Structures are given as structure tokens and as C-alpha cells.
């Protein structure tokens, strides 16, 4: 039996939250120390889950190796209010510690900037506005297993089954958006970032956020 065959594929459940947040922090927030990474990753994940209508998790032996979250226009968000409340509670708790509050502000400033670009994109009602890939993340421990591709393909199969005209996602220069171009997505919007991104000096470097889209 191969490593891939040992994988379990299932819907995200609340009990996954802590482990998925750790994966997000390890992958995207390595510039932060342990406590700051934990606070910022939990708040960011709760934010995405508050908008999630469909999800898929790849798990092996109790370890989460990958997650994809979709937000579909006009669809019900299961437990969305609960995740939004958790985001507020976690943010208030982090604000009691200046160091944690700063880490959360830095991370969520980037999330908010991407959301602004997304609203600009969606205002013209393109086909890609029917759905958003809110999160696609794969553990560094799962390299070579094809988990990212399988998660992505499953999400697109779901969107086709529900009749979505297209979808989009937000990304930035810190990510390997070549993966999305390889999957057939095209760049629909680009904006030079005004936010501070860890490891990037906005006064000296050009750092962009993007909308990528694809018709179905």
C-alpha cells in the first residue's frame, strides 16, 4: 500500500481547527514566533471558515496533510456565525498582548487588502465571482503525494456539479502562483500592496496581490 492510498478524504470538522491552524502557521507564518504564529493563524483560519460553504481535508494517521475551503455565492455557510464569533473572541484575546496584537494586525492587514481587491473584481460580476477558493494548503511533509492537485481537482468537480460558471482565488508574490497558471487559471487583477508583509519592505520592493480566475 502506498502513502497516498493510506489517505482519508473528508469534510472539515470543528475538531480539525487546531491542527489546520498549526499547518497554516507552519506554512505561511514562519516569520512569527510560536505564540504570535498560533494567534495569527487561528484568527486567519476562523476568518476563512466563516465564509466556507464546502471543504475537503486530506488526513493520514491523524495528521492533516491538506485542506481546501470554498466559498460559493448564494450558498449557505454551515456554522459561519460560530466561526465569525470565534474570530472576534480570538482577536480580542490577542489584543491584550501588544506583541500578539501586532502579529495579528500584520497578517490580517494582508487578508483585508486581498478582500478589497476581490470586491473590486466581483463588482463587475464576472463568471469567476460565482465561487472563491478561500484556502488551499498542503503540509511540507506531504511533498510528492499529489495532495494539492487532488484537493484542487475535487473542489473544481464540486463546482461543476453545482453549476458554477467559474471561480477565482486571491494570492500574492509570496505564493507559488505558477501552480494556478499550470492549472489553467489566468490573472484577472493585480495591485501593488500597501500592507506590510513579513520579510518584505514595501518602501524598497514591489509586492503584489492578485486575483486569478478560471471559467468552468
Amino acid at each position: 500500500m502506498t502513502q497516498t492510498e493510506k489517505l482519508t478524504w473528508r469534510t472539515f470538522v470543528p475538531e480539525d481547527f487546531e491542527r489546520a491552524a498549526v499547518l497554516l502557521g507552519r506554512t505561511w507564518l514562519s516569520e512569527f514566533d510560536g505564540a504570535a504564529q498560533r494567534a495569527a493563524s487561528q484568527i486567519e483560519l476562523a476568518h476563512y471558515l466563516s465564509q466556507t460553504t464546502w471543504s475537503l481535508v486530506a488526513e493520514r494517521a491523524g495528521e492533516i496533510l491538506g485542506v481546501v475551503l470554498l466559498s460559493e455565492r448564494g450558498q449557505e455557510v454551515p456554522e459561519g456565525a460560530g466561526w465569525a464569533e470565534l474570530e472576534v473572541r480570538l482577536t480580542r484575546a490577542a489584543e491584550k498582548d501588544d506583541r500578539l496584537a501586532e502579529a495579528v494586525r500584520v497578517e490580517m492587514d494582508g487578508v483585508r487588502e486581498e478582500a478589497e481587491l476581490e470586491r473590486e473584481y466581483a463588482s463587475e460580476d464576472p463568471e469567476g465571482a460565482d465561487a472563491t477558493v478561500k484556502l488551499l494548503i498542503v503540509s511540507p511533509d506531504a511533498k510528492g503525494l499529489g495532495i494539492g492537485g487532488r484537493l484542487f481537482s475535487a473542489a473544481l468537480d464540486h463546482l461543476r456539479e453545482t453549476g458554477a460558471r467559474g471561480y477565482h482565488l486571491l494570492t500574492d508574490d509570496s505564493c507559488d502562483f505558477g501552480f494556478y497558471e499550470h492549472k489553467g487559471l489566468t490573472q484577472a487583477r493585480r495591485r501593488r500592496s500597501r500592507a506590510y508583509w513579513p520579510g518584505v519592505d514595501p518602501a524598497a520592493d514591489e509586492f503584489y496581490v492578485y486575483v486569478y480566475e478560471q471559467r468552468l
Side-chain angles (χ1 to χ4, degrees), residues 105-122:
R105 183 195 65 76
V106 166
E107 184 62 19
M108 296 309 292
D109 275 356
V111 172
R112 281 187 284 270
E113 184 172 61
E114 290 180 340
E116 289 176 6
L117 184 59
E118 183 177 33
R119 284 191 293 271
E120 176 186 304
Y121 165 76

Side-chain angles (χ1 to χ4, degrees), residues 7 13 19 29 41 55 81 90 95 99 130 142 152 158 200 211:
L7 290 169
V13 295
R19 289 175 296 160
L29 309 182
S41 64
S55 62
L90 291 171
E95 287 172 347
R99 184 171 54 86
D130 281 4
F152 197 74
H158 168 77
V200 177
V211 175

Side-chain angles (χ1 to χ4, degrees), residues 17 48-50 56 68-69 96-98 106 111 122 163 172 179 206 212:
F17 180 75
Y48 293 142
L49 287 167
S50 72
L56 188 64
V68 62
L69 306 178
K96 297 177 182 178
D97 182 309
D98 289 344
V106 166
V111 172
D172 57 64
F179 171 83
E206 290 191 354
Y212 273 77

Side-chain angles (χ1 to χ4, degrees), residues 7-13 16 19-24 26-28 45 54-69 135-143 145-152 154:
L7 290 169
T8 299
W9 303 85
R10 57 171 178 76
T11 300
F12 189 99
V13 295
D16 295 326
R19 289 175 296 160
V22 168
L23 175 56
L24 191 158
R26 284 180 57 204
T27 306
W28 289 345
L45 181 58
W54 182 90
S55 62
L56 188 64
V57 171
E59 182 182 39
R60 185 181 65 197
E63 180 184 5
I64 291 178
L65 296 182
V67 180
V68 62
L69 306 178
L135 177 69
L136 175 62
I137 191 164
V138 177
S139 170
D141 301 331
K143 285 186 176 180
L145 298 182
I147 289 176
R150 291 181 65 179
L151 288 169
F152 197 74

Side-chain angles (χ1 to χ4, degrees), residues 131-206:
T132 314
V133 179
K134 300 303 297 185
L135 177 69
L136 175 62
I137 191 164
V138 177
S139 170
D141 301 331
K143 285 186 176 180
L145 298 182
I147 289 176
R150 291 181 65 179
L151 288 169
F152 197 74
S153 294
L156 299 196
D157 288 345
H158 168 77
L159 291 176
R160 291 187 182 99
E161 289 170 3
T162 59
R165 300 174 300 166
Y167 69 97
H168 69 280
L169 54 86
L170 281 296
T171 188
D172 57 64
D173 281 336
S174 70
C175 299
D176 178 18
F177 48 81
F179 171 83
Y180 301 120
E181 293 174 346
H182 176 71
K183 293 293 184 181
L185 285 85
T186 57
Q187 188 184 121
R189 288 284 189 283
R190 183 180 83 151
R191 175 188 292 176
R192 183 171 180 174
S193 176
R194 298 184 299 272
Y196 168 73
W197 300 76
V200 177
D201 179 2
D205 300 295
E206 290 191 354

